[in-house]
Structures are given as C-alpha cells and as structure tokens.
Amino acid sequence: MATSILQSAKAKRNGSSLHDMETSIEEQIANLRSEIAAFAKIVGESSAKQGETMRARAETGLEDLTARGEELLRELQHGYAKSSREVRRTVQQHPVATIGAAAAFGLAIALLLSRR
C-alpha cells in the first residue's frame, strides 16, 4: 500500500493524474476481456468441429460393426443349416448306429456325473 501511495505521489509530480492511470488500467482490462472472449469463441468452435468429427467416426465404426455382425450371423445360420442337414442325412442313413452313439454318449455322461 505504501508503494501505491508513493507511486501516486510520483505520478502527480510527473504531471500524470491518478485518473489517467485508472483509465489505462480499465482499458487494459477491457482489452483482456475482449481477447478472452475471442479465445473462448475459437475454443468453442474448435470443440464443436472435433465433436462432429468424432461423431462421424463413431457412426462409421458402428455401421461397419453392424455390417460385420450381420455377415457373421448369416455365416452362422448357413453353417447351422448345413450341419442340421448333415445330421439328418446321417441319422436317416444309419439309424441303428445313431441310437448306439446316443446310448454311448448317455452312458459316458452318467459315468462322469456319478463320480462326483
């Protein structure tokens, strides 16, 4: 505080008034406010552009993932249908062997479960 009193006394001796100093400080504050506002506007615009870019990338990735999932589902359905046809054909061609295999499988499961 003593420094500011000395500076004001020097300022009055040099022909400057306290009012001129206040005006200068107010102008600097106003300039800073306008620069901060401009900076905030630039940051906001940049953030909006980055947000749009990220959203577009996410949408593209989602579309690719959906297409790949649908393709995989079709492949699985085709494989299931093919396996089902092969099992039916095998059962029709070898019914006795199928019954024997099912019985053996059942016995194996029963043995495994009875050991616990």
Side-chain angles (χ1 to χ4, degrees), residues 18-34:
L18 185 60
H19 180 68
D20 292 339
M21 288 176 59
E22 287 177 357
T23 305
S24 173
I25 291 171
E26 288 173 359
E27 288 174 356
Q28 290 176 359
I29 290 172
N31 288 337
L32 285 173
R33 283 183 180 159
S34 65

Side-chain angles (χ1 to χ4, degrees), residues 45-59:
E45 291 172 354
S46 176
S47 297
K49 288 178 184 177
Q50 287 177 350
E52 290 172 8
T53 302
M54 291 178 71
R55 187 179 308 115
R57 286 182 185 170
E59 287 175 357

Side-chain angles (χ1 to χ4, degrees), residues 1-95:
M1 180 141 191
T3 308
S4 63
I5 294 171
L6 292 174
Q7 287 177 348
S8 356
K10 281 184 182 179
K12 286 183 181 177
R13 273 188 268 143
N14 292 335
S16 298
S17 70
L18 185 60
H19 180 68
D20 292 339
M21 288 176 59
E22 287 177 357
T23 305
S24 173
I25 291 171
E26 288 173 359
E27 288 174 356
Q28 290 176 359
I29 290 172
N31 288 337
L32 285 173
R33 283 183 180 159
S34 65
E35 288 178 13
I36 290 171
F39 181 70
K41 182 179 178 183
I42 291 170
V43 168
E45 291 172 354
S46 176
S47 297
K49 288 178 184 177
Q50 287 177 350
E52 290 172 8
T53 302
M54 291 178 71
R55 187 179 308 115
R57 286 182 185 170
E59 287 175 357
T60 302
L62 179 62
E63 290 169 359
D64 292 344
L65 184 61
T66 303
R68 179 65 184 134
E70 289 173 353
E71 180 182 331
L72 183 60
L73 180 62
R74 280 191 298 274
E75 289 174 7
L76 289 172
Q77 287 173 339
H78 177 69
Y80 176 75
K82 183 177 177 183
S83 297
S84 176
R85 284 191 302 271
E86 289 176 12
V87 168
R88 279 193 202 124
R89 187 175 333 121
T90 302
V91 169
Q92 288 173 352
Q93 291 175 354
H94 309 287

